[in-house]
Amino acid sequence: EESGRSLPAADRARLLRDLDGQMIELTQLTSELVELARNDAGTEPVEEFDLADGVVAAVERARVRVPGVRIETSLTSAPVLGRRSALERAVLNVLDNAAKWTPAEEPILVRLARRLVDGRWWAELEVEDRGPGVAEEDVPRIFERFYRSMSARSMPGSGLGLAIVRQAVTAHGGTVTVERGATCGA
């Protein structure tokens, strides 16, 4: 206030909200970059755990991060050998992405099942949102680092969340895909 003028209260409040939003985005970006580096290094020990417990933990965190989000689950016990926090983070990232696109009144559906493929048991996790879906031209690139679709560029995010998902899943010998939901969404 060296100029002798004070900032009107409404402008000051808006400026503080903008700064707060930017700080949250920067914190999220930093955390995502650290997560990518940590997964690249494989620092977390591998352990046997029930992926259903990891999904429950991620759902609880998503409900705290996005108040009012409706998440409906159908979970089957799925013992896996892997890095628990990496897989929980991957599930949380998918839920965060789904919450970003799902209208407030619509649920996000989370299903975890076990599938026997060629004599080997696999955990299969599906997260279905009710948003606009993924444009066909975005499908091949949606799991790339820093990729943001045209429709996502006006929203908060760094383009790292789904890259972390792909990295965690492929590190565990799995695959990740995106497709149109049964009724709408992704």
Side-chain angles (χ1 to χ4, degrees):
E1 292 190 59
E2 291 180 18
S3 66
R5 295 183 301 175
S6 63
L7 196 58
D11 290 344
R12 180 179 168 82
R14 187 176 63 250
L15 178 62
L16 290 174
R17 275 194 312 275
D18 289 348
L19 286 172
D20 188 49
Q22 289 174 8
M23 192 141 119
I24 290 168
E25 284 187 48
L26 184 57
T27 301
Q28 180 73 20
L29 175 61
T30 303
S31 134
E32 289 171 341
L33 287 169
V34 167
E35 185 68 27
L36 279 169
R38 184 179 299 133
N39 279 345
D40 281 344
T43 57
E44 183 187 0
V46 172
E47 62 180 310
E48 187 170 332
F49 68 99
D50 191 339
L51 185 58
D53 295 335
V55 172
V56 167
V59 166
E60 289 171 359
R61 286 177 62 195
R63 286 179 175 145
V64 169
R65 287 165 68 135
V66 186
V69 67
R70 277 183 49 208
I71 303 173
E72 297 175 4
T73 61
S74 173
L75 309 177
T76 300
S77 178
V80 296
L81 187 62
R83 293 181 168 90
R84 179 188 297 259
S85 69
L87 290 173
E88 282 182 19
R89 175 62 187 255
V91 175
L92 180 61
N93 284 2
V94 173
L95 292 171
D96 281 347
N97 196 68
K100 188 185 297 187
W101 295 103
T102 298
E105 66 279 2
E106 295 288 341
I108 296 168
L109 308 175
V110 179
R111 292 177 292 275
L112 177 64
R114 292 180 71 205
R115 301 273 181 249
L116 187 60
V117 179
D118 298 328
R120 182 174 174 196
W121 284 101
W122 291 87
E124 180 180 74
L125 178 69
E126 293 179 271
V127 176
E128 184 177 342
D129 68 46
R130 300 292 169 89
V134 178
E136 201 60 42
E137 63 269 16
D138 295 325
V139 169
R141 301 193 61 205
I142 197 163
F143 295 104
E144 291 179 9
R145 292 179 182 190
F146 300 109
Y147 180 73
R148 300 195 69 212
S149 68
M150 288 299 285
S151 55
R153 291 180 187 166
S154 63
M155 302 175 86
S158 64
L160 290 172
L162 293 179
I164 291 170
V165 171
R166 181 180 66 184
Q167 179 176 285
V169 171
T170 56
H172 287 84
T175 57
V176 61
T177 61
V178 62
E179 57 193 48
R180 183 115 358 241
T183 54
C184 65

